[in-house]
Amino acid sequence: MAISQVNFYSKALKREVTFNALLPLDRTDMFGHGNTEERPFKSLYLLHGYSGNYMDWLSLSRIRELSHKYNIAVFMPSGENNFYLDDNDKGELFGEYIGKELVTFTRKMFPLSTKREDTFIGGLSMGGYGAIRNGLKYAGNFSRIIALSSAIITYRIAGISTDHKDEVADYKYYRRVFGDLNLLMGSDRDPEALVLKLIETKVEIPKIYIACGTEDFLLDVNQKFHDFLVSKKVNVTYRETEGGHTFDFWNNYIEKAILWATHNSEN
């Protein structure tokens, strides 16, 4: 197993960024000097939650074990607290970085499959929203989306008043990250709108795996998005079982989701 921390200059973010990479091979294999029998690898771009960073999955989950077990490369970038969305005013294009630039860069650096069917995106909480939004926005790059306890808060914050404040943030934060909240629904930050656009343009929609705990404060928005996907006949696997907004739940379901992605299972 090779664990790498990579720094490179991101054109989308206009600065140097860092991400962690897991590859189930010896370090000499990574750069083309060893056994090539198991190449190229399927890949998973795995996103952290609000207030987290590129170390979260590596430090708090079983992802190193699962990368080896399922023979899949895993890349863990930082999205800061920007919900993996583009901030055009600041010139920080997190969506483009995650959905396009990082995929291109890692394919050049590591022995990865360039096939859409071998490329997945996933995340938890804020990262679950980021995986859904960018998996749909860049549907040509990803065949499967893993969404755990996803913060699909577009349902809650669209049209909120200027004095709004909830358990995550307030109006000013949401306005900065999501733009004009009165225009949020129907924009490319609205997962439902992205699905409808893919249907309209006859672009293949990535298969989606959603899991959320029955004690999770985001359960209602996950249920709502699932119901929408079913109504539009999108291929979605939905799991709702006991659990909260914790790594106990995410550790359980990230393995099930990786198995689903790599083996076309119904876990």
Side-chain angles (χ1 to χ4, degrees):
M1 171 61 70
I3 304 175
S4 297
Q5 188 174 102
V6 181
N7 300 305
F8 80 102
Y9 183 83
S10 166
K11 293 180 180 178
L13 296 177
K14 295 182 174 60
R15 57 183 164 83
E16 188 173 274
V17 295
T18 303
F19 67 88
N20 279 325
L22 290 171
L23 285 98
L25 41 60
D26 294 332
R27 191 168 296 272
T28 53
D29 289 338
M30 191 187 313
F31 300 103
H33 301 297
N35 189 345
T36 61
E37 291 181 1
E38 295 187 87
R39 284 190 258 162
F41 289 104
K42 296 179 179 181
S43 56
L44 169 62
Y45 298 82
L46 195 55
L47 312 181
H48 64 77
Y50 185 83
S51 76
N53 61 39
Y54 64 92
M55 289 298 299
D56 284 11
W57 279 103
L58 196 58
S59 302
L60 301 172
S61 81
R62 299 166 50 221
I63 194 62
R64 178 178 177 179
E65 168 198 339
L66 299 177
S67 171
H68 184 266
K69 182 176 181 179
Y70 295 104
N71 200 42
I72 184 172
V74 183
F75 302 100
M76 295 154 283
S78 279
E80 299 175 15
N81 285 341
N82 291 285
F83 273 77
Y84 304 94
L85 292 170
D86 296 333
D87 186 331
N88 292 302
D89 290 339
K90 292 178 66 177
E92 293 183 340
L93 308 181
F94 279 93
E96 183 176 322
Y97 165 57
I98 296 297
K100 183 178 179 181
E101 184 180 31
L102 188 61
V103 175
T104 299
F105 180 84
T106 51
R107 283 176 174 175
K108 290 178 179 177
M109 184 172 186
F110 299 106
L112 306 179
S113 170
T114 59
K115 296 179 180 178
R116 176 181 182 270
E117 59 264 33
D118 293 336
T119 309
F120 322 124
I121 187 170
L124 63 86
S125 195
M126 181 186 79
Y129 167 84
I132 291 170
R133 189 271 180 178
N134 292 304
L136 295 171
K137 175 78 172 178
Y138 297 95
N141 286 340
F142 304 104
S143 64
R144 291 177 181 249
I145 297 169
I146 296 170
L148 307 181
S149 307
S150 300
I152 314 171
I153 59 173
T154 46
Y155 290 127
R156 295 181 180 176
I157 65 173
I160 57 174
S161 62
T162 56
D163 62 352
H164 176 90
K165 185 175 177 59
D166 57 33
E167 61 266 43
V168 177
D170 58 15
Y171 172 86
K172 289 182 179 179
Y173 167 79
Y174 291 128
R175 175 66 175 80
R176 180 182 64 79
V177 173
F178 288 88
D180 189 336
L181 300 177
N182 291 317
L183 301 177
L184 178 55
M185 304 311 286
S187 73
D188 72 353
R189 301 178 179 215
D190 170 16
E192 287 193 6
L194 289 168
V195 169
L196 293 175
K197 182 177 181 180
L198 293 176
I199 293 172
E200 180 184 358
T201 55
K202 295 181 172 56
V203 174
E204 185 177 2
I205 299 173
K207 296 179 176 64
I208 302 175
Y209 185 102
I210 297 174
C212 194
T214 52
E215 287 73 55
D216 198 305
F217 76 102
L218 292 168
L219 178 60
D220 63 323
V221 295
N222 282 267
Q223 291 172 331
K224 186 171 184 177
F225 187 56
H226 166 251
D227 291 344
F228 166 78
L229 293 174
V230 171
S231 74
K232 298 303 176 184
K233 297 181 173 56
V234 175
N235 189 323
V236 58
T237 297
Y238 182 77
R239 297 292 179 261
E240 181 181 309
T241 58
E242 182 178 355
H245 205 72
T246 68
F247 264 97
D248 287 339
F249 183 86
W250 302 323
N251 260 320
N252 183 23
Y253 275 96
I254 189 59
E255 177 167 17
K256 296 177 186 293
I258 289 174
L259 182 60
W260 164 84
T262 56
H263 293 80
N264 196 25
S265 171
E266 292 300 322
N267 286 277

